[in-house]
């Protein structure tokens, strides 16, 4: 149910952003708002607390966000707060982003390496993934020393794992399987 509600709100916001030709700006600002809620969880908790009057919540939203985000986006946040749906803001942001990516032929790719990749390698990976997917790639890189080497690439619901850790685990499983069958 929450997914459907979040999606409806997000798509309504997206339609307005399209009308204003501000889809990317709204995505960026909505993402910043969600990041602010992540860094200050008490702020979101206050907005979801039923015992606090809706007018007080709206005053706080205006005080904190007015002039920093588009007026319609502020009104949207005040509306979802008034309707008791602000707790779904992260899901709304995700649904908005998915719609934006769909409309603009963008795919999100996550690359995990044992050490940070150089800018040249990052660009090369982005180019290769654009060839493979046929879409613009939004590449997110992260570091996980436990993979020891290689790379793990996640695209949509697929994962391509060429990490040293996985290869060693596969080798150990084969060796263990061989020893057991003797």
């Amino acid at each position: 149910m929450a997914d459907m509600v979040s999606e409806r709100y997000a798509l309504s916001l997206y339609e307005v952003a399209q009308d204003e030709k501000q889809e990317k700006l709204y995505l960026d600002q909505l993402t910043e708002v969600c990041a602010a809620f992540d860094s200050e969880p008490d702020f979101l908790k206050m907005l979801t607390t039923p015992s606090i009057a809706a007018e007080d919540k709206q005053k706080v939203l205006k005080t904190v966000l007015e002039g920093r985000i588009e007026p319609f986006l502020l009104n949207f946040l005040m509306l979802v707060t008034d309707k008791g749906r602000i707790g779904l803001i992260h899901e709304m942001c995700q649904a908005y982003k998915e719609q934006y990516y769909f409309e603009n032929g963008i795919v999100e790719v996550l690359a995990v390496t044992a050490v940070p990749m150089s800018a040249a390698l990052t660009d090369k990976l982005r180019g290769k993934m654009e060839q493979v997917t046929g879409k613009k790639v939004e590449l997110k890189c992260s570091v996980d020393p436990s993979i020891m080497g290689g790379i793990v690439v996640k695209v949509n619901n697929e994962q391509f794992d060429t990490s040293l850790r996985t290869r060693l685990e596969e080798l150990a499983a084969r060796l263990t399987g061989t020893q057991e069958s003797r």
Side-chain angles (χ1 to χ4, degrees):
M1 170 96 167
D3 288 336
M4 190 167 72
V5 170
S6 301
E7 197 170 294
R8 283 191 180 179
Y9 276 102
L11 293 178
S12 295
L13 178 63
Y14 191 83
E15 287 176 10
V16 170
Q18 271 186 316
D19 290 345
E20 296 180 4
K21 303 206 183 319
Q22 298 291 330
E23 303 94 336
K24 178 71 167 123
L25 178 63
Y26 277 36
L27 173 61
D28 292 343
Q29 290 183 352
L30 188 57
T31 301
E32 287 177 26
V33 167
C34 286
F37 287 150
D38 287 340
S39 66
E40 297 293 334
D42 288 342
F43 184 43
L44 184 58
K45 186 176 181 180
M46 181 272 305
L47 294 173
T48 61
T49 301
S51 61
I52 298 175
E55 300 83 36
D56 293 336
K57 294 175 187 179
Q58 289 184 356
K59 284 179 190 174
V60 170
L61 279 169
K62 274 189 174 181
T63 302
V64 173
L65 297 173
E66 194 167 41
R68 295 181 178 188
I69 62 173
E70 289 296 305
F72 188 86
L73 184 55
L74 177 58
N75 288 340
F76 173 81
L77 293 172
M78 292 185 349
L79 172 73
V80 296
T81 299
D82 189 48
K83 297 288 185 186
R85 304 289 191 189
I86 193 70
L88 301 173
I89 192 65
H90 290 88
E91 292 85 355
M92 290 177 201
C93 184
Q94 182 62 33
Y96 184 100
K97 182 170 91 170
E98 288 171 4
Q99 184 65 28
Y100 177 80
Y101 281 11
F102 175 77
E103 294 278 336
N104 291 281
I106 300 172
V107 65
E108 191 171 79
V109 175
L110 173 64
V112 182
T113 54
V115 296
M117 288 192 294
S118 67
L121 189 55
T122 301
D123 289 342
K124 187 175 179 180
L125 178 60
R126 180 180 290 109
K128 183 66 174 174
M129 294 311 300
E130 285 177 351
Q131 287 177 346
V132 168
T133 63
K135 296 182 177 192
K136 291 181 260 178
V137 168
E138 180 72 29
L139 183 61
K140 305 236 185 234
C141 299
S142 68
V143 175
D144 180 359
S146 74
I147 69 170
M148 296 185 240
I151 189 168
V152 178
V153 177
K154 297 176 184 175
V155 182
N156 296 325
N157 292 327
E158 293 185 64
Q159 177 171 306
F160 305 95
D161 189 341
T162 63
S163 67
L164 184 56
R165 177 184 65 199
T166 298
R167 289 184 180 190
L168 289 172
E169 288 171 355
E170 290 170 354
L171 180 60
R174 279 189 282 176
L175 289 174
T176 303
T178 305
Q179 290 175 349
E180 290 175 3
S181 63
R182 288 184 182 183

